[in-house]
Amino acid sequence: MRPTGKLHIGHYVGALENWIALQGEFENFHLIADYHALTTSLDTGDLLANSLDMVIDWLSAGIDPEKSPVFRQSQIKEHTELFLIFCMLITKERLERNPTLKEQVRDLNMDTIIFGHLGYPVLQAADILLYKGQVVPVGEDQAPHVEITREIARKFNSSFGEVFPIPETRLTTFARLPGLDGKAKMSKSLGNTILLSDPPEDIQKKVRRAVTDPQKVRRNDPGHPDVCTVFTYHKKFNPGEIDEIRAGCESGALGCVDCKANCTAKIADYFAPMREKRAYYEAHPDEVRDILHAGEERARAEAAATMAEVRHAMQLGELEPVIPVKT
Ligand code: AMP
């Protein structure tokens, strides 16, 4: 994840929830993509403070740093080294076809694309393959990047020998949570988010403004839940009442005001334990720094081992001492 500040509930349902579920099954590596944060704007705010804030969200949500190292991309030099090598394995045309890039250019009204933004998936391939990632739990927007990673891994293996696994994408059920404004994706840059750390009163204000079915103007108008953002949130955070809400909305018995109040309460309850844990970590910043430091050491050792293999496979290894032959 890029350290763009506090995480929103789309990050949670699209990726973080999966990370936590996979902790028992795999050795997870959780990367703070601080270089990637620079690809769409240099105006990133304080990257270190944002990174620490994000780690607090991860820990509060249930990431266990003993099992799964958390670390910053910028602190492991091998990411940039492997990125450079991978740049030789993919064409500019392939990267220009990336649908996620096209979407960002449209959503952020970009006139030009910087080289680093075009190369975003190549750096991501290095992030994944340095740790020989087999399963990549991401939201839908990142799935095309994992596809590019697979192509790069295959190209490397066929050119230099089998070094990398071919990783798989692992999507959650809510791989693309819509924003409060009804846009397809909840995203900080679109300003349509609910944060994991939002207190109940902020959730209430935000959900009150959420876009619903435009045809349901008055309370008793029959609604179409499948086009309503709030209904999508109910599906995730209030599955037990979903049939009742659908029936009430469609018949006109349930109005948007009551439906939103119910949704607010369910979201607030769902994230209450995380808000409590967040308060603990906010009061113990040294503990958070220590966790990051330890994660970076573990990641560095892993990355160095993979890079030694890569260099060796590419005949870029260290000089071996030459033993003179006696005549
Ligand atoms: P990013 O902020 O782009 O670094 O995204 C971090 C992770 O969260 C990626 O796996 C994204 O696919 C996922 N993600 C971000 N926004 C959403 C969303 N609205 N719905 C589902 N997943 C998301």
Side-chain angles (χ1 to χ4, degrees), residues 23-269:
Q23 276 188 128
E25 202 184 327
F26 291 94
E27 189 189 2
N28 290 5
F29 285 82
H30 297 304
L31 173 123
I32 301 168
D34 48 3
Y35 281 140
H36 272 121
L38 295 158
T39 55
T40 43
S41 165
L42 298 180
D43 185 15
T44 56
D46 181 337
L47 278 179
L48 178 58
N50 284 348
S51 300
L52 291 166
D53 231 348
M54 187 160 83
V55 171
I56 292 183
D57 274 331
W58 290 357
L59 298 171
S60 309
I63 294 294
D64 175 353
E66 293 288 325
K67 281 194 194 144
S68 325
V70 297
F71 55 98
R72 285 167 296 158
Q73 188 181 34
S74 62
Q75 301 310 298
I76 321 290
K77 306 280 180 264
E78 284 81 359
H79 286 259
T80 46
E81 194 179 353
L82 193 56
F83 164 69
L84 176 81
I85 291 169
F86 285 173
C87 284
M88 319 302 171
L89 307 182
I90 188 141
T91 64
K92 164 178 145 295
E93 288 71 20
R94 173 67 182 91
L95 294 173
E96 281 167 348
R97 285 204 304 275
N98 170 14
T100 304
L101 177 78
K102 289 185 190 165
E103 212 173 273
Q104 284 172 334
V105 166
R106 185 199 62 210
D107 287 348
L108 303 175
N109 295 318
M110 291 173 164
D111 299 325
T112 54
I113 303 169
I114 61 160
F115 182 53
H117 191 190
L118 182 68
Y120 188 114
V122 186
L123 180 57
Q124 192 166 352
D127 300 340
I128 295 166
L129 294 173
L130 258 184
Y131 306 95
K132 302 207 173 169
Q134 292 172 315
V135 171
V136 192
V138 286
E140 198 179 73
D141 59 327
Q142 299 282 324
H145 296 172
V146 182
E147 194 47 49
I148 291 174
T149 302
R150 290 160 63 85
E151 291 170 27
I152 289 177
R154 281 197 206 100
K155 179 79 180 168
F156 185 98
N157 289 349
S158 65
S159 308
F160 303 111
E162 290 289 320
V163 170
F164 295 115
I166 310 299
E168 280 168 38
T169 304
R170 186 74 63 94
L171 295 180
T172 56
T173 325
F174 290 85
R176 183 178 287 249
L177 193 76
L180 287 159
D181 54 0
K183 290 219 172 88
K185 190 182 160 194
M186 182 174 283
S187 154
K188 188 169 184 200
S189 53
L190 299 175
N192 59 9
T193 65
I194 298 173
L195 302 179
L196 294 186
S197 49
D198 273 343
E201 49 286 12
D202 289 6
I203 301 176
Q204 186 187 35
K205 273 188 221 140
K206 288 180 173 183
V207 173
R208 240 193 241 148
R209 289 196 327 256
V211 169
T212 54
D213 173 12
Q215 288 182 26
K216 189 169 166 67
V217 183
R218 280 171 301 270
R219 186 189 194 283
N220 296 329
D221 290 345
H224 305 85
D226 293 321
V227 301
C228 174
T229 314
V230 176
F231 187 69
T232 309
Y233 300 163
H234 274 295
K235 277 194 210 157
K236 171 66 195 171
F237 300 108
N238 187 16
E241 289 179 40
I242 204 71
D243 293 338
E244 211 178 304
I245 291 168
R246 176 183 285 284
C249 176
E250 284 177 344
S251 71
L254 176 65
C256 292
V257 173
D258 292 342
C259 180
K260 283 178 168 180
N262 184 8
C263 185
T264 299
K266 295 300 182 313
I267 296 175
D269 283 356

Side-chain angles (χ1 to χ4, degrees), residues 156 160 163 305-318 320:
F156 185 98
F160 303 111
V163 170
T306 305
M307 253 344 275
E309 251 185 271
V310 167
R311 283 195 219 99
H312 180 75
M314 297 179 74
Q315 314 297 336
L316 295 170
E318 285 180 18
E320 307 268 333

